[in-house]
Amino acid sequence: MTPLRILAIAAITLCTAAAWAVLGRTLQVRTSGSGSQLGDDVTDVWGPEMRQAHPTAFYFSPTGAKGRVTLQPSRSKVTVKLDYDPKKRGLLWHRTYRADFAAEYEFSNPTPVSQTLYVQFPLPSGDASYQRFSFTLGGAAASQATPSGGMVTEAVVVPARSAVPLKVTYETRGMDTWGYAFPQAGRVAQFSLVMQTNFNEINFPKGTGSPTDRDVNNKLFTWDYPDVLSAPAIGMDMPKVLNAGPVASRIAFFAPVSLVFFFTVLLIVGMVYGANLHPMNYFFLAAGCFAFQLLFAYLVDLVPLHLSFIISAVVSLALVCPYVGAVSGRKMFWVALAAQTVYMVLFSYSFFFDGLTGLTITIGAILTLALLMLLTARVNWVEKLGGFTGSPPQSRPAPPLPPKLNPNPTV
């Protein structure tokens, strides 16, 4: 193996890396374009993020701001059931869910005279649909009022120092996050919200409060606010979904690192075992490795993610390893099989798990360095590389033997 051949192998690696960069960028563009367009389609069909606001009531009074006094519920009991049901469009999964909402509120008249309270219940979104919607104020039958500006408003006469109940139920669908918000700088009293989910990956959005009680086994979470000023909002993020497009693009961008590890092992182990592959052999090996990401990138459109990965990996292994065995023998076949499985397959699979890729690369690099150092500790690199001039080292000529003495000299 000469330095010129090593430079040729490096050039092949750089060209393959450029091809992977083009593939990764193409996947990014495809994912971004389909994600924005199909995301809007999913929102139109399924529903947007849901954020239920706390209801309020008001009555007209000259002592209030702008002639009205705003009231918060004196008691609230809310239950919500979130059923996570992701939907796939194109290369992306969308974090969709169903929400079953039921609440019982109570509004009190704090004055010594009867008041007409105008109770307002805001809907989570004006773009969503609501099934089995029920709005019952006082002892009357369920109201048939329709929302105006995303708000259901009903009036009721409440006697002095008395209270009126409000019951609201509905079923709806949304994406990504469900939340419950309180008015800023408001006072929340006797409030309780119980949330039940059908998933284990729990994540509370930024700016929301943690539950006061958790039942992880039954997936129940409770927020109790007996008497709180500026109560924090309540929310739940839907679990993250492993999307094919971003995973495939990250694997493509990472592939040159895997190829460098793979070629390094073949190059060094091949020199130790006397199996020096020609640069043209490395060209075909690079093409076989590139086939892995190329097939995976377009197979995920039609086949489930993990199955696409397995099929692509098997195809690439079938292209590369038998070729190495045909060129350099059975021993190098097993070396190539182990190296490609670790560097091209397992390293790529680490992208299926958030936060593990960097650690996987670091551990793999350290183990590779240790094995190569152990394997090549007694290798004469001058002999293997042919010196800096590309010619094998020249041995020094042996010194001439001294002339033999004649035991029977003649005079």
Side-chain angles (χ1 to χ4, degrees):
M1 180 61 66
T2 64
L4 185 60
R5 284 193 173 188
I6 295 177
L7 290 177
I9 296 170
I12 292 171
T13 304
L14 291 176
C15 292
T16 312
W20 268 315
V22 172
L23 177 62
R25 182 56 185 163
T26 302
L27 289 170
Q28 280 187 335
V29 173
R30 287 179 58 203
T31 302
S32 177
S34 63
S36 58
Q37 180 179 356
L38 295 177
D40 294 338
D41 293 343
V42 173
T43 300
D44 294 338
V45 174
W46 195 264
E49 292 186 5
M50 292 292 173
R51 188 176 179 87
Q52 177 64 61
H54 203 44
T56 58
F58 68 89
Y59 62 90
F60 292 105
S61 172
T63 61
K66 297 183 180 180
R68 63 169 63 179
V69 176
T70 301
L71 301 175
Q72 300 293 331
S74 56
R75 184 180 63 85
S76 306
K77 183 179 180 181
V78 181
T79 60
V80 61
K81 182 180 179 182
L82 301 178
D83 290 327
Y84 180 54
D85 186 18
K87 302 297 179 183
K88 185 181 181 182
R89 287 289 185 93
L91 293 177
L92 295 177
W93 283 90
H94 299 271
R95 302 183 298 163
T96 54
Y97 63 89
R98 302 177 187 272
D100 188 354
F101 180 88
E104 297 180 2
Y105 302 101
E106 188 176 89
F107 289 91
S108 299
N109 175 12
T111 67
V113 296
S114 297
Q115 294 287 354
T116 299
L117 296 187
Y118 296 87
V119 179
Q120 296 179 317
F121 183 83
L123 296 176
S125 174
D127 299 327
S129 62
Y130 302 90
Q131 299 178 357
R132 299 180 178 85
F133 181 82
S134 175
F135 182 95
T136 305
L137 183 61
S143 172
Q144 299 299 319
T146 57
S148 177
M151 186 88 65
V152 178
T153 304
E154 281 287 304
V156 62
V157 178
V158 183
R161 309 295 185 186
S162 298
V164 60
L166 169 65
K167 295 182 180 180
V168 180
T169 60
Y170 63 80
E171 297 176 6
T172 189
R173 304 183 300 186
M175 286 180 56
D176 298 335
T177 301
W178 184 89
Y180 192 97
F182 301 98
Q184 294 183 355
R187 186 166 193 164
V188 178
Q190 300 301 314
F191 175 87
S192 173
L193 186 147
V194 178
M195 179 188 296
Q196 184 175 21
T197 68
N198 67 338
F199 48 87
N200 296 318
E201 184 182 330
I202 304 302
N203 184 43
F204 305 112
K206 182 180 180 180
T208 61
S210 297
T212 55
D213 185 54
R214 306 185 188 199
D215 185 352
V216 179
N217 294 330
N218 295 317
K219 303 181 181 66
L220 288 174
F221 305 89
T222 303
W223 286 262
D224 280 325
Y225 297 156
D227 189 7
V228 180
L229 289 174
S230 300
I234 297 169
M236 179 67 71
D237 279 335
M238 296 301 108
K240 293 182 179 179
V241 186
L242 192 63
N243 279 309
V247 170
S249 63
R250 290 199 299 268
I251 290 177
F253 284 126
F254 165 80
V257 179
S258 297
L259 188 66
V260 168
F261 279 108
F262 179 55
F263 277 4
T264 300
V265 171
L266 287 185
L267 188 67
I268 294 178
V269 175
M271 285 191 294
V272 172
Y273 290 154
N276 294 326
L277 299 176
H278 191 273
M280 281 302 300
N281 299 133
Y282 282 98
F283 170 79
F284 288 115
L285 293 177
C289 292
F290 182 79
F292 175 21
Q293 285 76 18
L294 183 64
L295 179 61
F296 177 64
Y298 293 97
L299 197 61
V300 290
D301 289 343
L302 306 173
V303 182
L305 182 62
H306 286 83
L307 181 58
S308 300
F309 185 88
I310 293 173
I311 294 174
S312 303
V314 170
V315 169
S316 181
L317 288 170
L319 287 172
V320 171
C321 298
Y323 178 74
V324 174
V327 172
S328 301
R330 181 176 295 273
K331 185 178 292 186
M332 287 301 296
F333 166 83
W334 292 111
V335 172
L337 179 62
Q340 191 182 11
T341 301
V342 172
Y343 300 124
M344 300 300 299
V345 178
L346 295 183
F347 276 19
S348 297
Y349 192 68
S350 67
F351 283 95
F352 284 63
F353 307 94
D354 288 339
L356 291 183
T357 304
L359 180 61
T360 302
I361 296 174
T362 302
I363 294 176
I366 293 174
L367 292 178
T368 302
L369 177 62
L371 289 175
L372 292 180
M373 291 173 67
L374 181 64
L375 185 64
T376 62
R378 296 183 177 274
V379 171
N380 185 340
W381 291 109
V382 175
E383 177 182 346
K384 294 295 181 181
L385 295 177
F388 290 102
T389 62
S391 59
Q394 302 293 329
S395 57
R396 295 182 179 180
L401 295 175
K404 293 183 178 180
L405 299 176
N406 190 348
N408 298 312
T410 57
V411 178

